[in-house]
Amino acid sequence: MLQFTTAGRKTPPKRDADTRRRDFAEIYQPFAKERAEEQASRCSQCGVPFCQNHCPLGNDIPDWLRLIAEGRLEEAYAASSATNNMPEVCGRICPQDRLCEGACVIEQSTHGTVTIGALEQYITETAWDEGWIKPICPPRERSQSVGIIGAGPGGLAAAEELRREGFQVTVYDRYDRTGGLLIYGIPNFKLEKSVIERRTDYLEKSDVAFERNVDIGADISFAELRARHDAILIATGVYKARSLACPGAGSKGVVAALDYLTASNRKGLGDVVAAFDRGDLNAEGKKVVVLGGGDTAMDCVRSAVRQGARSVTCLYRRDRKNMPGSMREVANAEEEGVVFEWLAAPKAILGDANSVSGVRAIRMELGATDASGRRAPVERAGSEFDAPADLVIEALGFEPEDQPGMFGAPELKVTERGTLKVDGESLETSLPGVYAAGDIVRGASLVVWAIVDGRRAAAAIASRLEKTRRPIAAE
Ligand SMILES: Cc1cc2nc3c(=O)[nH]c(=O)nc-3n(C[C@H](O)[C@H](O)[C@H](O)COP(=O)(O)OP(=O)(O)OC[C@H]3O[C@@H](n4cnc5c(N)ncnc54)[C@H](O)[C@@H]3O)c2cc1C
Ligand code: SF4
């Protein structure tokens, strides 16, 4: 260990921009064993592990780095999977620069952070390859059942934890595939679909039941679901897209980011997508303008590049330093040819009834700090300019749908933002025995936080069901 003075920071090999622009395959290649051991050995094993404190899951990072460096990979996997249900997913797509790696002590001493995310991915990929990940076989079966609404990372993490305790778990999802935003939101170049399919397959082999194409509130009433199960977890995410409110908003040629990404992901999975084939949701040959500066916007610009767009421009109203998306993804997008117009906001969509021709935008500057703690962008008078476009993608964020209304459950309390109100410890909602996790509680957030919530809600549900256990012969 402590090799950070002799071994420099190395990320896994990245495919060059010209090659990767032409396909949707992941851009990073896995670490080779020797490189992984070398990079893990850079850890300084400091007394106060800031990386662990800044990981939402509290992953025991220094321990598993030491085990990798010593070649004890099976033990490293045991330590890593003890706190994380999807280490290979988090290792790929957590914004590590803002979480664990951003707090790494050797980074603070200018030696370059340990590549924690890539090593976490390496451990779990090795575990899959070596067959160390076996279907769950709980020590005893319990008759009590839990219904989980939503097969995103929050729901899937809870399903795994509850199954380990021997509960009968059914996950319901309105989509035809499981994974939530991991399957239909996040593109392959960040996270291959096979990674998610492998997790689902593992849960199915562990006797978690999945009911796909089932919209709770429409196909099965929420009341009926509550009657079916001893406890319920709502992990439905946030899907109401914010849209523009300016002249020309809603024109043909202006599309919502998630519609665009879902079409692209479905095509990649081999589905027939009429709106893509018609060209409405396909960037090929087009001048594309994406509005927004978060992860969703980054996924849109980079998907458009891969679809063969003529040009791709991202308009964001703050500057690079203040954008919400991961810095790593911005750098990747720039390498792939995306043009960023920082400090620019849309004023109008240009064009006619049948097509758009561009976005009229205005230059912004950063003013006083606003309620979010960031400096608010204000318009610079007389600085309008036009960005040519024949496809405009709105990536302006998401809000919760009307969950109580959709479930016909007005007694399900929500916050001012429309997210579900929960007890801070147990994540129980205002309805007894009904818990909530992930984006529907936090608002649009991160995969790692959905996993944190899924685990916490599962623990609270298990403890509740333990207390209310009925004496049944099968148990
Ligand atoms: C384009 C995009 C890129 C992102 N990139 C990153 C990233 O790089 N890193 C990162 O950490 N996070 C990223 N995120 C955020 C991350 O994907 C989410 O925070 C996370 O998926 C939330 O998990 P969840 O389980 O709460 O909800 P979701 O993943 O949204 O899953 C919710 C599931 O519930 C289902 N559902 C909803 N209502 C019902 C109903 N009534 N009945 C049945 N099923 C229902 C939905 O179909 C869905 O499958 C990104 C998000 C987007 C949109
Ligand atoms: S889960 Fe995310 S934050 Fe935690 S160690 Fe892994 S990559 Fe870092």
Side-chain angles (χ1 to χ4, degrees), residues 55-57 59 61 64 84 90-91 94 96 99-100 116-117 120 448:
C55 166
L57 286 157
N59 281 346
I61 300 163
W64 42 257
N84 191 351
C90 294
C94 267
Q96 286 103 12
L99 301 171
C100 54
I116 298 169
E120 189 177 25
V448 65

Side-chain angles (χ1 to χ4, degrees), residues 284-295:
E284 190 178 356
K286 293 183 180 160
K287 287 171 277 184
V288 179
V289 169
V290 175
L291 307 173
D295 283 329

Side-chain angles (χ1 to χ4, degrees), residues 177-449:
R177 291 186 176 91
T178 53
L181 288 172
L182 304 184
I183 199 95
Y184 285 140
I186 298 174
N188 265 20
F189 50 81
K190 271 168 53 182
L191 177 68
E192 302 267 5
K193 303 298 163 220
S194 56
V195 175
I196 307 307
E197 288 164 348
R198 189 173 56 186
R199 277 279 158 202
T200 306
D201 184 51
Y202 156 77
L203 289 174
E204 275 179 325
K205 287 191 176 128
S206 304
D207 289 331
V208 170
F210 285 93
E211 293 211 12
R212 300 176 178 87
N213 291 312
V214 176
D215 190 337
I216 301 300
D219 300 319
I220 300 178
S221 76
F222 183 61
E224 186 188 332
L225 201 74
R226 286 187 77 193
R228 260 190 210 182
H229 297 287
D230 297 281
I232 297 289
L233 175 67
I234 304 174
T236 44
V238 289
Y239 284 87
K240 196 164 97 191
R242 288 193 199 116
S243 47
L244 281 173
C246 67
S251 306
K252 193 166 184 307
V254 180
V255 303
L258 203 53
D259 293 347
Y260 170 73
L261 291 172
T262 304
S264 178
N265 280 311
R266 279 195 180 280
K267 281 306 280 185
L269 284 157
D271 294 355
V272 175
V273 184
F276 182 94
D277 297 340
R278 269 199 315 270
D280 298 353
L281 295 175
N282 182 357
E284 190 178 356
K286 293 183 180 160
K287 287 171 277 184
V288 179
V289 169
V290 175
L291 307 173
D295 283 329
T296 306
M298 294 311 102
D299 290 353
C300 290
V301 290
R302 298 178 66 206
S303 294
V305 165
R306 284 160 175 78
Q307 287 174 355
R310 257 171 74 191
S311 65
V312 184
T313 305
C314 180
L315 290 190
Y316 180 55
R317 64 199 179 121
R318 290 189 163 93
D319 60 3
R320 183 191 193 102
K321 213 172 99 208
N322 286 286
M323 69 177 296
S326 152
M327 286 300 137
R328 180 182 58 194
E329 301 309 322
V330 179
N332 285 334
E334 282 179 325
E335 286 169 16
E336 290 162 12
V338 174
V339 174
F340 284 86
E341 290 281 4
W342 305 110
L343 290 163
K347 289 290 277 180
I349 301 297
L350 309 173
D352 56 32
N354 297 319
S355 61
V356 296
S357 61
V359 178
R360 175 144 307 152
I362 187 162
R363 300 281 171 203
M364 311 293 281
E365 49 199 22
L366 295 180
T369 306
D370 66 14
S372 73
R374 291 183 300 168
R375 289 174 65 197
V378 284
E379 292 183 0
R380 230 167 63 200
S383 65
E384 282 91 349
F385 68 99
D386 292 347
D390 29 30
L391 178 66
V392 176
I393 303 175
E394 298 173 306
L396 304 169
F398 301 94
E399 285 164 9
E401 295 165 288
D402 170 18
Q403 201 74 77
M406 289 164 72
F407 282 175
E411 60 285 19
L412 194 56
K413 291 212 174 96
V414 294
T415 65
E416 279 167 8
R417 296 188 300 147
T419 51
L420 290 184
K421 218 176 216 173
V422 291
D423 174 81
E425 282 298 308
S426 67
L427 303 186
E428 191 170 18
T429 67
S430 51
L431 296 177
V434 177
Y435 296 75
D439 282 4
I440 191 59
V441 174
R442 295 176 180 272
S445 179
L446 293 172
V447 169
V448 65
W449 281 113

